[in-house]
Amino acid sequence: MRKGDDESVKKRAGDDEVSQPNVKRARVSVRTKCDYPTINDGCQWRKYGQKISRGNPCPRSYYRCSVAPLCPVRKQVQRCLEDMSILITTYEGTHNHSLPIEATAMASTTAAAASMLLSGSSTSSQSPKNFTNLANYSKTTPLYLSNSSSNPFPTITLDFTAFPTTSSFTSFNFPSNFQPGSGLLSNSLSFSSPESSTIPKILGSGCLNYDSTSTLPYHKNLINIGSSQKQFDQPFIGKNNTSTSDKLKEDSSQQALTETLTKAITSDPSFQSVLAAAISSMVGATKT
DNA sequence: CGATTTTGACCGGCGC
DNA sequence: GCGCCGGTCAAAATCG
């Protein structure tokens, strides 16, 4: 049925943001240390595909939000090549419907980050203040910033794999190989989300990393917030380990993750400016 | 029985 | 122009 005679089939793979014209192709990656096939962000997802990508033996899974039929949000789940216990979940788009509170945390984070990237990509104002702020932060914190030559889709990565969940660290660090020149992003840091008004706080603490040099073809930014690891010490058995007890554990663990996220988001509003500054600085740098 | 997952095929973009 | 690769579709299978 899909062999070219169906018009609708042609709108996939590229530009199908019909219901959200204001949402472009920002992606938000979330790195979590997780032994389970996927993390539970509170939202309901339906798997629609799986692929083995080149260079990574682990299959990448594709999910769609199944809460609302027209929800444009998609996510990709893949294990990290270097560390199989790290799960990389990439969100694309924002929900156009209401979500349960557990889902709101993650959705808010990703939506805000995406919003920031998107607004950055559509405007070109610069905010020296933010830059200064960022520079200030960078004195004490490791922020990893780098740049790629071409980035069709800006991607911001929230990294929950590194540290215990406390709100007492914020680290930035600019690598010497950061080179401006892409001009893709800017810095209107409007932490707003189309889906609700409960968003605005961003990521309490952590280290913010920008990295677009590695395997991803598009701009990739890394934000390291802190670990939500609590009980992920089970070995990863595979994708079929879904006994009842496992499910329960998975659920609670992942709820913990969501809670951690929420906490991180709400506990340290200052990180918003940090994040904003980081992105704006990157954007500003790339603009010239 | 409905919802979800699996899986092979298809399509478009991109590099050579 | 051709082949590769990532992303998506949809029928079949599986699950609850």
Side-chain angles (χ1 to χ4, degrees), chain A residues 3-271:
Chain A
K3 315 216 165 171
D5 49 349
D6 189 344
E7 291 284 327
S8 65
V9 114
K10 297 182 179 171
K11 21 172 33 172
R12 62 167 174 37
D15 46 356
D16 56 344
E17 50 264 58
V18 284
S19 51
Q20 275 186 308
N22 59 328
V23 172
K24 286 187 278 182
R25 297 262 144 195
R27 302 183 187 195
V28 181
S29 285
V30 179
R31 288 162 54 98
T32 56
K33 201 147 189 177
C34 177
D35 290 330
Y36 303 99
T38 181
I39 60 172
N40 180 7
D41 50 22
C43 195
Q44 210 175 348
W45 300 95
R46 186 177 56 193
K47 190 174 185 176
Y48 67 87
Q50 178 172 305
K51 266 286 194 194
I52 305 236
S53 24
R54 204 150 179 84
N56 191 339
C58 307
R60 174 184 295 171
S61 298
Y62 301 89
Y63 296 86
R64 273 194 165 143
C65 178
S66 62
V67 175
L70 290 181
C71 183
V73 177
R74 284 173 289 181
K75 81 171 180 182
Q76 301 175 2
V77 178
Q78 186 173 33
R79 294 216 161 259
C80 182
L81 176 62
E82 297 134 11
D83 187 346
M84 300 284 278
S85 66
I86 294 180
L87 202 65
I88 303 175
T89 307
T90 303
Y91 295 87
E92 190 174 312
T94 52
H95 299 275
N96 59 4
H97 52 85
S98 57
L99 291 167
I101 187 68
E102 317 91 73
T104 304
M106 182 68 84
S108 299
T109 306
T110 58
S115 168
M116 184 166 52
L117 285 175
L118 290 177
S119 60
S121 66
S122 59
T123 65
S124 52
S125 57
Q126 172 58 289
S127 175
K129 213 185 247 180
N130 280 342
F131 190 83
T132 305
N133 191 14
L134 178 64
N136 200 28
Y137 271 99
S138 67
K139 287 177 188 168
T140 52
T141 61
L143 177 151
Y144 185 71
L145 226 182
S146 60
N147 204 347
S148 64
S149 47
S150 62
N151 8 318
F153 309 125
T155 299
I156 189 163
T157 299
L158 315 180
D159 192 335
F160 291 84
T161 62
F163 305 98
T165 307
T166 59
S167 51
S168 51
F169 66 90
T170 308
S171 34
F172 293 87
N173 136 11
F174 286 91
S176 53
N177 64 337
F178 169 66
Q179 36 183 317
S182 125
L184 219 155
L185 301 175
S186 185
N187 67 326
S188 309
L189 305 159
S190 52
F191 287 83
S192 60
S193 160
E195 83 221 22
S196 79
S197 54
T198 59
I199 319 290
K201 289 149 225 158
I202 278 279
L203 309 177
S205 57
C207 75
L208 183 73
N209 287 329
Y210 287 85
D211 177 352
S212 49
T213 54
S214 54
T215 55
L216 292 179
Y218 37 75
H219 209 124
K220 177 179 153 199
N221 315 297
L222 242 193
I223 297 179
N224 201 329
I225 303 165
S227 172
S228 56
Q229 297 322 295
K230 301 208 164 152
Q231 35 192 304
F232 294 126
D233 41 16
Q234 285 192 343
F236 178 65
I237 311 171
K239 55 179 179 179
N240 287 331
N241 58 336
T242 46
S243 69
T244 305
S245 58
D246 278 349
K247 280 260 179 187
L248 284 175
K249 267 190 211 165
E250 175 179 5
D251 209 50
S252 60
S253 298
Q254 291 168 352
Q255 270 190 4
L257 168 62
T258 304
E259 284 172 23
T260 300
L261 245 181
T262 310
K263 265 188 220 158
I265 292 171
T266 55
S267 63
D268 189 1
S270 68
F271 188 69

